[in-house]
Amino acid sequence: MAAAGAAANGGSAASRRSFLLPEELRAQFSQQIDLMAVRVPKQSTNQYMKQLSKHLFNKPRMRNVMDDAEAPDGRLLLLDETLTSEADLEGREVPSAGGEPASSLVQFLRDEGLSLARTQVKVDYSYWPAHTVLQRLLPEGIEVPSSFETVGHIAHLNLREELLPHKHTIGQVILDKNPRLRTVVNKVGSIENEFRVFPHEVLAGEPCCETEVRQHGALFRLDYAKVYWNSRLEREHQRLVGLFRPEDVVLDAMAGIGPFAIPAAQKGCLVYANDLNPASFEYLCTNIKLNRVGGKVLPFNMDGRAFMRQAAAGSLDLMAAAAIAPPPPAKPAKGGKAKKQQQQQADAEQAQQPQPPPPQQQPPQQQQQQEAHAGAPESAAAADGNGSSSGSGLFQHIVMNLPAAAVEFLDALNGSFCPRLWEGQPLPLVHVYTFAKGEEELAGLRQRVESHLGGHLDEEPQVHLVRDVAPKKLMVCVSFRVPRSLAFASSAGAADGGGSAGGDDGAKRQRTQ
């Protein structure tokens, strides 16, 4: 009998590397598979593999050809494990090369002068997929976890109560079967803090939760233990950014680490990006630098209400934000004319900057915005009366990505817009994210929006279904234009962007991605 052993596995790296699951548990998965094999000349191996392809041993990550220990110039082609005797071979056909009637596998071997052998293939823990391993290790009747979210090198689980006694075993198996992962965490409670960071525990692997993720051409660095991130929203990030024009200015009120802001800036938009969470703000600034969009994303660390009110009133401190994330240094030109080219480029950029009118003819808020833009190259273009970007603090979109409570922040838009700044200009489109339970709540979204906004919308809002969060729980994006009847309504403190960092009416100070 020819010996197979590790040769059938090809001595794979998986079989040689160390595992987290204890040896006594891994030993349960060692198994010998008895197989029939066809002896073929070494030089004819490829030919016979093609002719017998439908009848060969076919298992993921395992070879079906091996050296013949009894014939140095031969090979063994391993046959399907269902073929256990010559009688089984009688029922299999091998097509003839010249269009002649197919012959049985037995007859083909006789005609070719080939002989049969028996061998064994050894498989161990490294061969079996995670689902199969967990099915055998977990008690009968318990449903095996079928999926998990990956964030860089981190696997995020949300285990049901009956799986908690086996959580560390589950974490170990997931790491063993996914070499690119280094950490497995499990959510241990609902998100209740103001920064939308979920409580978790490390089940297996490294305790480090700082990682990097790539989405639609952008690189995001984050600490999964300190900020909110949901990889399932990648398509929604791409969809919404696709609605922006390159010349638009976007107000991202709950920006997180920048999943909307960074791609929008890469598209050409100017983005005012805000988040209350200091850790999110820190990683937002990091990601601005990583993606070289300084000067295109101006970061803020404020309460969402105060941020939107000041932006609508034209009183955001853009110069301070531009200083936090300045434009990246220009790449030096090559050749002997480098200095001249750099000077020409600087002159051209200066010529493109909008020239503000004399201070006495300009509202204070507008003057402050233009001065800030002058310090942030490429951050604004001249206003054209059609709602395009300008250095005057106008913006075309407001993104509010806090599904659990974003609609509660809509009251910040009521009466906050400076009439002189927005005179004759289209008011921005709002894209507010929220949850809806069932058809009844979907039908009542307009009423919910109007209730928090403090008045009626001018037209029916657009509702986009983002994803199913749970049974009968949907995440949706509601888009509408700020009504002029509400934007300039009389409101104490609205004209100067009033509103404390703590928000009004005891509303939640939260953020999300």
Side-chain angles (χ1 to χ4, degrees):
M1 177 183 293
N9 285 322
S12 66
S15 65
R16 295 193 301 269
R17 67 183 176 87
S18 60
F19 295 99
L20 290 179
L21 195 70
E23 170 62 27
E24 61 269 20
L25 295 180
R26 285 187 280 121
Q28 301 178 23
F29 298 90
S30 295
Q31 179 181 338
Q32 297 280 358
I33 303 177
D34 294 323
L35 296 174
M36 296 184 69
V38 179
R39 283 195 166 98
V40 300
K42 181 184 295 186
Q43 65 272 20
S44 303
T45 301
N46 289 338
Q47 169 195 335
Y48 286 119
M49 286 188 69
K50 291 179 181 178
Q51 291 178 284
L52 301 176
S53 60
K54 294 183 179 180
H55 311 296
L56 296 180
F57 181 64
N58 184 16
K59 290 289 185 182
R61 306 183 306 281
M62 297 188 70
R63 298 171 57 192
N64 53 18
V65 59
M66 55 185 292
D67 292 333
D68 187 348
E70 299 180 11
D73 293 331
R75 291 283 191 272
L76 291 179
L77 300 186
L78 308 182
L79 296 178
D80 191 290
E81 57 191 309
T82 61
L83 301 175
T84 60
S85 66
E86 287 195 24
D88 294 330
L89 274 61
E90 287 285 358
R92 298 292 186 96
E93 294 184 343
V94 179
S96 299
E100 300 174 1
S103 60
S104 71
L105 182 51
V106 171
Q107 186 61 46
F108 174 82
L109 297 180
R110 289 173 183 166
D111 293 343
E112 296 292 326
L114 303 176
S115 61
L116 292 170
R118 289 189 177 274
T119 188
Q120 289 183 330
V121 172
K122 180 182 179 181
V123 295
D124 57 18
Y125 172 71
S126 65
Y127 166 72
W128 304 104
H131 190 269
T132 302
V133 172
L134 291 175
Q135 276 185 324
R136 188 178 300 183
L137 293 178
L138 298 181
E140 187 176 355
I142 292 184
E143 186 177 352
V144 175
S146 58
S147 62
F148 52 84
E149 180 185 3
T150 59
V151 181
H153 71 269
I154 302 168
H156 170 211
L157 302 176
N158 190 6
L159 296 178
R160 299 183 303 277
E161 185 175 356
E162 64 268 23
L163 291 172
L164 293 181
H166 316 282
K167 59 187 179 182
H168 293 295
T169 296
I170 294 171
Q172 290 168 343
V173 171
I174 288 176
L175 281 192
D176 285 347
K177 300 301 178 179
N178 297 273
R180 294 183 179 180
L181 299 177
R182 303 199 305 272
T183 305
V184 179
V185 301
N186 179 50
K187 182 179 177 181
V188 296
S190 59
I191 298 176
E192 297 179 350
N193 58 76
E194 62 183 355
F195 297 146
R196 302 294 294 161
V197 179
F198 71 90
H200 72 278
E201 61 177 335
V202 177
L203 301 184
E206 303 172 5
C208 176
C209 286
E210 183 173 79
T211 189
E212 291 185 350
V213 180
R214 286 194 177 273
Q215 278 195 0
H216 39 68
L219 176 64
F220 298 95
R221 185 175 297 166
L222 61 110
D223 189 324
Y224 203 45
K226 298 179 180 179
V227 306
Y228 183 89
W229 177 269
N230 191 331
S231 297
R232 297 184 180 95
L233 296 177
E234 179 176 4
R235 181 176 297 180
E236 178 59 16
H237 301 154
Q238 195 168 14
R239 181 196 73 87
L240 191 63
V241 172
L243 302 179
F244 304 155
R245 301 172 302 173
E247 65 270 20
D248 282 346
V249 177
V250 179
L251 196 72
D252 195 351
M254 298 115 178
I257 65 168
F260 287 110
I262 302 296
Q266 290 176 326
K267 187 175 183 177
C269 301
L270 170 64
V271 186
Y272 305 152
N274 172 73
D275 201 276
L276 179 65
N277 183 353
S280 294
F281 175 75
E282 176 186 348
Y283 280 102
L284 171 63
C285 295
T286 296
N287 293 328
I288 291 172
K289 296 176 182 177
L290 285 177
N291 293 279
R292 297 182 61 83
V293 289
K296 298 297 292 183
V297 179
L298 305 186
F300 297 84
N301 183 204
M302 300 172 59
D303 169 71
R305 274 189 178 81
F307 173 73
M308 288 191 290
R309 283 176 173 158
Q310 290 184 26
S315 59
L316 282 177
D317 190 350
L318 299 185
M319 291 192 70
I324 294 173
K331 295 181 179 180
K334 298 181 181 179
K337 299 182 180 179
K339 186 173 182 180
K340 182 178 179 181
Q341 291 175 353
Q342 291 174 0
Q343 184 61 46
Q344 290 175 343
Q345 181 180 358
D347 293 342
E349 291 177 352
Q350 180 65 31
Q352 292 175 1
Q353 292 296 324
Q355 299 299 317
Q360 65 272 15
Q361 300 177 11
Q362 187 179 30
Q365 296 91 348
Q366 188 169 349
Q367 181 181 353
Q368 180 183 7
Q369 297 279 26
Q370 288 180 332
E371 291 173 351
H373 280 300
E378 302 179 347
S379 65
D384 60 8
N386 294 318
S388 62
S389 305
S390 76
S392 60
L394 301 179
F395 46 92
Q396 288 69 51
H397 298 271
I398 305 175
V399 181
M400 302 173 65
N401 186 18
L402 176 60
V407 291
E408 300 175 17
F409 286 72
L410 289 173
D411 59 357
L413 303 177
N414 193 323
S416 296
F417 288 79
C418 173
R420 292 171 295 177
L421 182 65
W422 292 89
E423 183 179 1
Q425 299 294 334
L427 291 172
L429 286 169
V430 178
H431 310 281
V432 58
Y433 289 86
T434 188
F435 294 126
K437 295 181 179 179
E439 296 295 329
E440 183 176 343
E441 286 198 5
L442 276 176
L445 284 177
R446 175 170 183 167
Q447 181 179 358
R448 190 197 308 177
V449 166
E450 291 179 335
S451 174
H452 289 285
L453 191 59
H456 295 292
L457 300 178
D458 293 335
E459 55 188 20
E460 192 69 24
Q462 295 183 355
V463 178
H464 173 76
L465 174 61
V466 177
R467 58 184 287 261
D468 292 332
V469 178
K472 297 183 179 180
K473 184 177 182 181
L474 307 174
M475 179 180 175
V476 297
C477 177
V478 184
S479 298
F480 62 91
R481 192 172 296 279
V482 177
R484 301 193 78 85
S485 58
L486 298 178
F488 308 111
S490 174
S491 178
D496 61 0
S500 68
D504 293 342
D505 304 323
K508 300 177 182 177
R509 290 158 48 96
Q510 296 183 355
R511 52 81 38 210
T512 187
Q513 175 187 213

